[in-house]
Amino acid sequence: MQVAAFIEQAIAAGDYPPGGRLPSGRDLAKRLGVALNTVQHAIRHLKDQSVLVSVPPRGVFVASADLATKQSADDAEIIRQLGVIQEAMETLTQRVAALEQLIGGTDPEAGE
């Protein structure tokens, strides 16, 4: 939590501006005299709080309105695509059940 607080203070001081890239985890660990794992936990915590954003493979950045908007748009697109896939799966399930009934004389409602 101390490392997370340090990063938040550095952001507030303008050391890492919105949209700015954080130093690598190794660099932060060396600078702060802590283990890399400690820095990784702090970064994960700040990402969960939407203070930081990961942009693979570019690195970890201070969240900005632009990054948050892009991430929200990406999430919305993924949700839309999942809805399309779900509809297609339901249609295919119905078609397979109908074909099974025609071929084998089974009752699709019985789940045979």
Side-chain angles (χ1 to χ4, degrees), residues 65-75:
D66 293 343
L67 287 174
T69 300
K70 182 182 178 339
Q71 191 169 21
S72 294
D74 290 347
D75 290 348

Side-chain angles (χ1 to χ4, degrees), residues 52-74:
L52 300 175
V53 177
S54 266
V55 183
R58 295 184 54 220
V60 177
F61 294 80
V62 177
S64 68
D66 293 343
L67 287 174
T69 300
K70 182 182 178 339
Q71 191 169 21
S72 294
D74 290 347

Side-chain angles (χ1 to χ4, degrees), residues 79-97:
I79 291 168
R80 185 195 69 74
Q81 289 176 1
L82 286 173
V84 169
I85 292 168
Q86 184 177 14
E87 285 180 29
M89 290 296 296
E90 289 171 5
T91 300
L92 288 172
T93 300
Q94 292 170 359
R95 291 178 69 186
V96 167

Side-chain angles (χ1 to χ4, degrees), residues 8 20 23 25 37 41 45 49 58-59 64 68 71 87 100 102:
E8 285 184 301
N37 195 33
H41 283 290
H45 171 74
Q49 302 300 312
R58 295 184 54 220
S64 68
Q71 191 169 21
E87 285 180 29
E100 286 175 341
L102 285 173

Side-chain angles (χ1 to χ4, degrees), residues 1-11 22 32 34 38-39 41-47 49 51-52:
M1 294 314 280
Q2 291 174 338
V3 172
F6 171 83
I7 294 171
E8 285 184 301
Q9 289 170 354
I11 292 169
L22 254 60
L32 299 174
V34 298
T38 302
V39 172
H41 283 290
I43 288 172
R44 190 173 312 119
H45 171 74
L46 293 174
K47 286 195 286 188
Q49 302 300 312
V51 174
L52 300 175

